[in-house]
Amino acid sequence: MRKVWQTPGGIHPAENKLQSVQQPIQPLPLPPRLWVALNQHAGAVAKPLVAVGERVLKGQMIARPQPDSGTALHAPSSGTVVAIGPHPIAHPSGLPADCIEIVCDGLEQWIDRDRHPDYRSLPRSELLVMISERGVAGLGGAGFPTAIKLASDRPIELLLINATECEPYITADDSLLRERAEQMLVGIDIASYLLGDPAERVIGIEDNKPEAIAALRTAIAARSDKAAAIELAIFPTKYPSGGEKQLIQIVTGRELPSGALPAELGIVCQNVGTLYALKRAIVDGEPLISRITTVTGKACLRNGNYETLIGTPVSALLGHNQLQPQRLARLIMGGPMMGVALPSSELPTVKTSNCFIAADASEVAPEQPAQPCIRCGLCAEACPASLLPQQLYWHAQSQQHEKLEAHNLFDCIECGACSYVCPSNIPLVQYFRAGKGEIRQQRAEKAKSDFARERFEFRQQRLEQQERDKQAKREARKLAAEQAKAAQAQGDNGAAEDNSAAALIAAAQARAAARMASPQQQRDKLTRAITSSRARLQAAEDKLTQAQHDGADHSQLQALQAAQAAAAQKLQLAEQKLAELAATDSASSSDASAAPELDAASRAIAKARDSAAAREAMSPSEKMASDLAALDKRLAKLQEKLELCEDSEQRQLLESSAAKLQAKRDALHTSSQGDQHGI
Amino acid sequence: MQPLWELVVANPIAAAVLALVGLALLFGALLGFAAERFRVEGDPIVEQIDALLPQTQCGQCGHPGCRPYAESIAAGEAINKCPPGGQATINALAALLDLPAPELDDEHGEASEVKKVAYIREDECIGCTKCIQACPVDAILGSAKMMHTVIAAECTGCDLCVEPCPVDCIDMLPVETGIQGWQWQLPPRPGLIASDRQPHSGAAA
């Protein structure tokens, strides 16, 4: 007998285990339809490998888990996949989840079973993959993938086998040990091989299962391999001794630190059901497609343990046990302490479905209204984790999450001992579950918001970087342009100097000089212009007389007359210019040739003097005609300006001066005509 | 030296004054050194406020992101302008800043109970990239003239991509909670006198 230790707290509820162990484990008739839920437990959802309409064999893998979480799923019986979609599952939320629905053909046709009785010849890694692919999960409670648990990279000194089954009503492990202890011991051997053959292998079991203990003793004694001893640790019945932390404390006397995993103490815990499934998976090549489920409660006429296919509807289980629907007060999945009430029986079982209790009114206490907490402290005495449920209750009620965490809410194993002893009927565990849920949700939100912040800041940084890059490019371009300009400027210095004011002036002077040319050239030009004008005038006059002679129409005559007048004017202008030139020549013949570039003022004076002299030389009629021509010219110029001008004020000014000029011209015209008539 | 010592010996008041002045100089120097040596860069309160804000970067508060709002809260702006955070964020900010917790300011939008994420109707997307430019957390994937899609896990539900879409192919859909997101709810609060509730619970049972 191994020494055992005491744990704090705990309660002794009515066991109610006897009624379901009167008969051996029985097979259940094959239900017509099975629903295999894609998420059997908390964690990632498995990915279906089959399509609707596909025929599947018993034991065929139908869904693969996400890497490193969850377990593979297998067809519990041969048949056809008819649907993959949401179906209500046995979950406290009552929400539907994706299930693979299989219509059984009743043939129970197995896949090729890959048996490995000589598992010690296989490498550990291969064996672990096999365990994962054969869907072995923790059948004791949470359904944690066994392969992950057995792949511990820490040295393991103790393999602790949990046969406690401390919750009332449940006898699945008890009946398994009574009938299949030898097979379970093979499972222990596989697990200890995978864990590097730990020094100790201990089965922890409560003293309320004498038949199971006897069966275990016999099986252990019958083992051929005496070297790898398996010890039994039998301890007094108390709820909840079967919790992992509690069992470790009972068997080793060591308390698992808050938040630590048993592997950190060199311990791995495995449930007996899991080890049995492990043996079946490796030695018999049968994936986890069934488990032993207790069906009990006074609303059923028969109580017992059944080899249940995963995915069997609860209604099939209850129907087989002759459920009296009128007596059913509450349907509970799991034990009475930690289990959840199910809203209906049309739900499929999952890998962790160890017990269904169809309780009648005498078994479940009528729901008492919760009364205020009287601070009696019974819950603190009952708590196996040495927490202060009354304090946690206050903080959970007022949603003070920091206080909840400070009071170690996450060490609560939700065993329900506090609620059981509470004289005020406060549903303490529900408060704690809600508090945990809220804290988890807040943590998830915090993680998400931190991620969003990171992404937002990264984006800001990237945008700034882009802006900086653009700015740098712009500056580089600008610099390049400036450099190119400078290079060009250096290339032709002369051109650069042209741009200077001095150069501009010089160019203008050159142009002026060209225009001035020599007086001789100008005179030649003017004489040429006069002769051509004369010829044109002659031609125009000829045309006019011809037209008059031919009797052309009025408009044609007018046009010809205008042309003749224009030619005459041009001739007059050329003659006038020639006269001016002659006057200039005579006035400044000496210095004109010596210095053609007179200064502007003296030139203007000379010009004015010349023109005055020329006027004096002209006859009065000639004078008048030249005046008239000059006026006409000014008028034409003014008209041109007027057309170009856009400013209204300037326009007015120009118009008024144009009118003045027009009046002057008209006056001059009439006087000149009068003179002509007078002659 | 000699006259000072004589003064101290002869005059205890002078001795006390000297001692106090000496201590004042010593501690002043110590404090001055500590102020330089342990100087905190930036405003640590902004970090704390920013950590409480929901980081949707939606701009409903009138600031271009959560951090600018955190900065202006630190500078004295009202703490009730964040609809995505809702009353929980306001309460947390009030607790942090030791202020009374006001109600959410409706001017900046209403708090929605359901979390939403953007969803692009991919058949209708023309690949204009306008939503990608609008997304503050780079949660939209796609390129010019290619279909875009939202990375739902990274979408903060800020709504900013809906407005720029020229073909209105973006919807804000509530996030499906399902079994994974389900959690236990707090039990209804017990009344002060349990028998007050009995008729109701009796009727329900």
Side-chain angles (χ1 to χ4, degrees):
Chain A
M1 258 302 267
R2 203 186 151 87
K3 179 183 183 323
V4 291
W5 279 262
Q6 273 277 331
T7 51
I11 52 170
H12 296 90
E15 283 175 17
N16 280 310
K17 287 184 186 253
L18 282 176
Q19 57 267 46
S20 53
V21 285
Q22 301 305 314
Q23 291 165 339
I25 301 166
Q26 297 158 51
L28 201 70
L30 185 70
R33 276 165 194 263
L34 296 164
W35 285 270
V36 183
L38 287 177
N39 57 337
Q40 295 276 329
H41 47 79
V45 178
K47 232 174 103 188
L49 295 175
V50 289
V52 173
E54 203 173 314
R55 186 180 143 74
V56 289
L57 297 178
K58 188 175 177 125
Q60 181 184 335
M61 198 198 283
I62 53 173
R64 184 177 284 285
Q66 312 278 358
D68 289 337
S69 79
T71 50
L73 299 175
H74 302 80
S77 182
S78 60
T80 314
V81 176
V82 292
I84 300 171
H87 186 269
I89 64 163
H91 187 269
S93 68
L95 289 171
D98 283 348
C99 293
I100 299 177
E101 185 179 349
I102 296 169
V103 172
C104 303
D105 55 13
L107 299 174
E108 297 274 36
Q109 197 178 351
W110 269 96
I111 48 158
D112 282 340
R113 274 167 280 186
D114 180 21
R115 296 182 169 89
H116 290 281
D118 54 342
Y119 54 87
R120 279 194 183 255
S121 63
L122 293 173
R124 289 196 175 91
S125 56
E126 201 177 304
L127 212 54
L128 286 171
V129 170
M130 209 179 279
I131 291 168
S132 174
E133 291 201 336
R134 292 180 185 181
V136 183
L139 301 184
F144 191 77
T146 305
I148 297 174
K149 219 171 175 180
L150 291 179
S152 171
D153 50 1
R154 290 168 190 272
I156 301 298
E157 288 150 18
L158 171 64
L159 172 60
L160 189 52
I161 295 101
N162 190 347
T164 318
E165 202 166 49
C166 56
E167 249 193 289
Y169 285 95
I170 310 174
T171 55
D173 292 348
D174 187 4
S175 55
L176 174 80
L177 290 177
R178 287 179 191 207
E179 294 174 37
R180 303 172 189 175
E182 307 82 21
Q183 297 190 53
M184 198 279 290
L185 292 184
V186 177
I188 295 177
D189 286 336
I190 298 171
S192 61
Y193 167 60
L194 285 168
L195 293 169
D197 289 314
E200 285 186 294
R201 281 112 42 100
V202 179
I203 301 173
I205 189 162
E206 280 184 338
D207 59 6
N208 62 350
K209 302 177 195 55
E211 290 91 345
I213 293 168
L216 275 173
R217 286 216 167 105
T218 323
I220 291 169
R223 272 161 55 85
S224 54
D225 185 7
K226 299 283 182 200
I230 297 173
E231 271 185 281
L232 274 180
I234 301 157
F235 44 89
T237 304
K238 180 167 84 173
Y239 178 83
S241 299
E244 196 171 59
K245 291 177 184 179
Q246 283 67 37
L247 186 63
I248 289 171
Q249 199 176 351
I250 288 168
V251 173
T252 68
R254 296 161 80 188
E255 202 173 341
L256 193 63
S258 173
L261 290 172
E264 290 170 36
L265 295 182
I267 300 169
V268 164
C269 267
Q270 288 290 349
N271 173 265
V272 287
T274 315
L275 292 169
Y276 172 68
L278 191 60
K279 183 256 163 186
R280 289 273 287 262
I282 301 299
V283 177
D284 304 327
E286 291 177 11
L288 180 56
I289 53 166
S290 69
R291 66 158 297 143
I292 293 162
T293 302
T294 307
V295 182
T296 182
K298 285 183 182 160
C300 285
L301 293 185
R302 282 201 297 184
N303 284 184
N305 285 287
Y306 297 91
E307 181 86 47
T308 316
L309 293 177
I310 309 297
T312 305
V314 179
S315 55
L317 270 171
L318 296 176
H320 186 69
N321 284 280
Q322 294 162 16
L323 172 77
Q324 309 293 300
Q326 69 281 359
R327 289 180 65 188
L328 181 68
R330 199 183 301 168
L331 178 62
I332 298 164
M333 180 177 75
M337 304 298 298
M338 294 184 72
V340 291
L342 294 182
S344 96
S345 63
E346 290 307 315
L347 309 164
T349 61
V350 292
K351 288 180 183 178
T352 54
S353 306
N354 52 357
C355 182
F356 290 96
I357 305 171
D360 75 355
S362 68
E363 287 175 295
V364 288
E367 212 169 320
Q368 294 284 328
Q371 296 190 353
C373 172
I374 56 168
R375 315 286 276 177
C376 63
L378 284 178
C379 50
E381 279 172 31
C383 181
S386 305
L387 300 176
L388 296 172
Q390 77 278 23
Q391 287 302 106
L392 289 170
Y393 163 64
W394 286 120
H395 298 317
Q397 209 178 23
S398 52
Q399 296 181 304
Q400 295 185 22
H401 297 142
E402 278 170 28
K403 288 258 174 86
L404 281 176
E405 288 190 66
H407 280 85
N408 299 310
L409 174 67
F410 281 90
D411 285 343
C412 169
I413 58 168
E414 302 174 21
C415 67
C418 50
S419 306
Y420 180 80
V421 298
C422 182
S424 290
N425 299 310
I426 300 170
L428 290 163
V429 176
Q430 201 183 333
Y431 281 100
F432 304 156
R433 282 175 174 164
K436 281 183 184 177
E438 276 169 20
I439 292 173
R440 280 200 198 99
Q441 195 186 13
Q442 277 185 354
R443 282 182 188 165
E445 271 170 23
K446 180 93 180 75
K448 200 181 168 187
S449 82
D450 283 346
F451 185 55
R453 180 188 298 119
E454 206 175 281
R455 290 181 74 83
F456 176 67
E457 278 167 8
F458 178 74
R459 181 185 141 93
Q460 294 297 99
Q461 221 171 35
R462 195 189 67 219
L463 293 180
E464 276 165 24
Q465 184 63 44
Q466 274 175 358
E467 197 47 51
R468 270 200 300 275
D469 287 351
K470 263 188 202 163
Q471 187 67 31
K473 251 184 204 166
R474 266 200 294 271
E475 265 159 24
R477 261 206 302 272
K478 210 166 144 190
L479 200 69
E482 269 167 16
Q483 275 172 347
K485 223 176 194 174
Q488 206 180 12
Q490 272 183 341
D492 40 12
N493 261 328
E497 270 170 30
D498 271 350
N499 290 344
S500 66
L504 277 171
I505 292 165
Q509 279 172 341
R511 275 201 299 279
R515 210 185 298 138
M516 294 289 282
S518 68
Q520 188 56 47
Q521 277 173 344
Q522 281 189 27
R523 205 177 295 127
D524 289 350
K525 203 176 169 189
L526 278 172
T527 29
R528 274 205 301 278
I530 288 164
T531 42
S532 68
S533 299
R534 268 203 191 117
R536 237 176 275 149
L537 184 60
Q538 192 60 48
E541 273 170 358
D542 285 352
K543 262 188 187 168
L544 189 58
T545 47
Q546 180 73 28
Q548 275 167 343
H549 185 73
D550 291 350
D553 65 349
H554 187 69
S555 64
Q556 228 172 353
L557 271 179
Q558 253 187 345
L560 283 169
Q561 269 170 345
Q564 190 219 358
Q569 203 181 346
K570 230 176 188 173
L571 178 63
Q572 213 172 17
L573 211 75
E575 277 170 346
Q576 193 186 337
K577 263 193 182 161
L578 189 62
E580 267 174 36
L581 195 64
T584 323
D585 276 355
S586 60
S588 54
S589 54
S590 57
D591 53 19
S593 54
E597 290 160 44
L598 292 166
D599 70 282
S602 60
R603 240 183 2 224
I605 293 163
K607 200 174 171 185
R609 210 183 285 142
D610 292 348
S611 61
R615 277 174 74 91
E616 258 165 54
M618 279 189 240
S619 69
S621 67
E622 266 178 343
K623 216 193 261 174
M624 220 178 265
S626 88
D627 276 356
L628 197 61
L631 269 176
D632 273 342
K633 207 170 153 191
R634 273 171 74 185
L635 202 57
K637 235 183 194 164
L638 205 61
Q639 217 80 46
E640 209 175 302
K641 251 192 194 166
L642 199 59
E643 267 168 46
L644 285 175
C645 179
E646 276 165 16
D647 188 15
S648 62
E649 226 174 276
Q650 219 171 353
R651 214 181 154 86
Q652 254 180 350
L653 219 74
L654 284 169
E655 267 169 2
S656 71
S657 57
K660 267 184 210 161
L661 270 177
Q662 189 69 39
K664 211 172 174 185
R665 186 199 168 277
D666 286 349
L668 201 63
H669 193 67
T670 44
S671 71
S672 81
Q673 273 182 345
D675 277 1
Q676 275 175 355
H677 288 295
I679 291 164
Chain B
M1 202 61 211
Q2 200 60 36
L4 184 69
W5 180 245
E6 272 167 21
L7 181 76
V8 168
V9 170
N11 199 342
I13 303 252
V17 167
L18 265 176
L20 285 175
V21 167
L23 283 173
L25 287 175
L26 177 70
F27 287 118
L30 210 74
L31 283 174
F33 170 74
E36 280 305 310
R37 178 70 181 74
F38 304 109
R39 180 194 295 278
V40 177
E41 289 297 327
D43 193 352
I45 195 75
V46 172
E47 295 291 333
Q48 290 176 35
I49 295 169
D50 195 33
L52 292 178
L53 292 174
Q55 304 300 324
T56 43
Q57 319 293 355
C58 61
Q60 289 183 71
C61 55
H63 297 277
C66 292
R67 203 183 164 83
Y69 182 42
E71 278 159 11
S72 35
I73 288 178
E77 198 171 316
I79 59 171
N80 59 348
K81 296 185 176 177
C82 180
Q87 197 62 41
T89 298
I90 294 173
N91 292 346
L93 286 172
L96 174 71
L97 302 171
D98 203 13
L99 293 170
E103 297 267 295
L104 182 68
D105 190 352
D106 287 341
E107 240 177 72
H108 297 275
E110 281 173 18
S112 98
E113 282 299 303
V114 237
K115 282 198 153 272
K116 288 182 173 178
V117 289
Y119 171 78
I120 294 178
R121 291 197 297 278
E122 289 166 358
D123 297 343
E124 293 168 40
C125 176
I126 55 169
C128 68
T129 74
K130 282 189 174 143
C131 55
I132 295 179
Q133 289 157 34
C135 181
V137 292
D138 288 333
I140 303 179
L141 204 67
S143 65
K145 297 187 181 174
M146 302 286 173
M147 179 201 83
H148 304 341
T149 198
V150 176
I151 306 168
E154 290 174 9
C155 176
T156 63
C158 69
D159 235 22
L160 292 179
C161 54
V162 176
E163 173 65 27
C165 180
V167 290
D168 283 334
C169 72
I170 304 180
D171 296 319
M172 297 304 293
L173 299 183
V175 185
E176 279 183 39
T177 42
I179 275 187
Q180 305 284 321
W182 180 86
Q183 60 182 45
W184 289 89
Q185 295 300 308
L186 281 177
R189 265 171 177 274
L192 194 61
I193 302 167
S195 55
D196 282 356
R197 285 156 39 85
Q198 223 135 19
H200 302 285
S201 63

